[in-house]
């Protein structure tokens, strides 16, 4: 009985201490509850929960998409008819990709990739380079596979993609462009393979 009374007394003290701190910072652990809580508690060693529960935030900026067209290859001019037909085909492809990516369907997503893309983004060295992106480093994420790349880069940065323009490298190879803050941003490089547009390596 004495032990039970002691436990009740301790519980009441703890409750009163928490009530006195109401409206202030979050309570410290019990062993330091009697001390004044600092304005900004020292961070603990536990990882940030966002990194474990969902992909990186702020997809367009944080995924660090290119802000301009690359200088490596000069776009070519095509007829208005070719442009419009290609635009409609790729717009439909991107809408399909958006749905697949939003559903996080990795296996289905792979069917929209060229062999060159799969090879590049499965390469350990390439994945190590991408892992140095600030948003991934901040969340302690290291990419080790194509599935990792899909989960942590593609899903947060491409599920709401919108086609605004095309840059033709040939009639069967284009850059799909999305304008963000009046700047052209490359969404995909696509290549037509057996009559179907697929995401190609840069």
């Amino acid at each position: 009985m004495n032990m039970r009374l002691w436990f009740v007394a301790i519980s009441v003290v703890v409750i009163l201490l928490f009530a006195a701190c109401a409206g202030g910072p979050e309570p410290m652990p019990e062993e330091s509850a009697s001390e004044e809580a600092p304005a900004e508690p020292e961070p603990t060693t536990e990882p940030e929960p966002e990194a474990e529960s969902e992909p990186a935030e702020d997809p367009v900026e944080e995924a660090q998409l290119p802000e301009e067209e690359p200088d490596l290859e000069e776009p070519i001019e095509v007829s208005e008819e070719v442009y419009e037909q290609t635009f409609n085909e790729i717009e439909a492809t991107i809408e399909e990709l958006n749905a697949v990516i939003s559903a996080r369907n990795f296996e289905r997503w792979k069917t929209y990739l060229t062999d060159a893309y799969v090879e590049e983004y499965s390469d350990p060295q390439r994945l190590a380079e991408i892992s140095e992106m600030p948003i991934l480093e901040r969340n302690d994420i290291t990419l080790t596979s194509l599935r990792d790349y899909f989960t942590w880069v593609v899903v947060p940065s491409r599920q709401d993609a919108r086609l605004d323009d095309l840059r033709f490298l040939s009639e069967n190879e284009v850059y799909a462009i999305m304008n963000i803050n009046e700047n052209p941003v490359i969404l995909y490089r696509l290549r037509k393979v057996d009559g179907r547009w697929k995401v190609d390596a840069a």
Side-chain angles (χ1 to χ4, degrees):
M1 185 65 179
N2 289 336
M3 288 294 294
R4 187 168 185 176
L5 287 175
W6 177 84
F7 178 80
V8 170
I10 290 297
S11 300
V12 169
V13 170
V14 171
I15 292 169
L16 289 175
L17 284 172
F18 284 172
C21 295
E26 293 183 10
M28 298 292 288
E30 286 188 17
E31 58 267 24
S32 59
S34 60
E35 300 176 4
E36 182 179 352
E40 295 184 17
E42 288 293 324
T44 63
T45 57
E46 59 187 41
E48 298 179 15
E50 300 85 18
E52 300 299 327
S53 58
E54 59 185 48
E57 296 178 346
D58 200 358
V60 173
E61 279 191 21
E62 295 292 9
Q64 295 183 340
L65 302 179
E67 295 184 356
E68 297 178 355
E69 303 160 51
D71 297 327
L72 299 177
E73 298 179 66
E74 192 71 24
I76 66 169
E77 295 291 331
V78 296
S79 68
E80 183 176 347
E81 181 180 356
V82 169
Y83 181 94
E84 289 182 0
Q85 179 179 343
T86 305
F87 188 98
N88 290 336
E89 291 173 358
I90 291 180
E91 186 174 46
T93 298
I94 289 177
E95 287 176 358
E96 293 171 9
L97 273 167
N98 286 352
V100 169
I101 293 168
S102 294
R104 303 189 182 192
N105 189 334
F106 173 69
E107 295 300 328
R108 179 67 174 161
W109 173 71
K110 286 199 302 183
T111 67
Y112 286 84
L113 312 177
T114 65
D115 292 341
Y117 186 98
V118 171
E119 182 178 354
E120 176 169 348
Y121 292 98
S122 299
D123 179 65
Q125 183 175 346
R126 183 74 175 103
L127 293 171
E129 293 171 359
I130 298 169
S131 296
E132 295 176 359
M133 291 166 50
I135 185 63
L136 298 182
E137 286 192 331
R138 272 203 307 275
N139 289 281
D140 196 27
I141 296 168
T142 300
L143 308 179
T144 61
S145 66
L146 181 64
R147 183 182 289 274
D148 285 348
Y149 180 76
F150 173 73
T151 300
W152 296 108
V153 178
V154 175
V155 170
S157 68
R158 299 296 194 281
Q159 59 184 315
D160 295 317
R162 179 190 70 247
L163 180 64
D164 291 323
D165 197 5
L166 294 175
R167 296 291 184 271
F168 284 77
L169 303 176
S170 72
E171 289 193 4
N172 293 316
E173 190 174 2
V174 301
Y175 286 113
I177 306 294
M178 178 175 173
N179 295 324
I180 299 175
N181 297 326
E182 300 182 356
N183 293 318
V185 175
I186 296 173
L187 292 171
Y188 298 111
R189 175 172 176 154
L190 298 108
R191 181 188 299 274
K192 204 166 195 177
V193 180
D194 296 329
R196 182 184 175 201
W197 290 102
K198 291 192 171 187
V199 181
D200 197 20

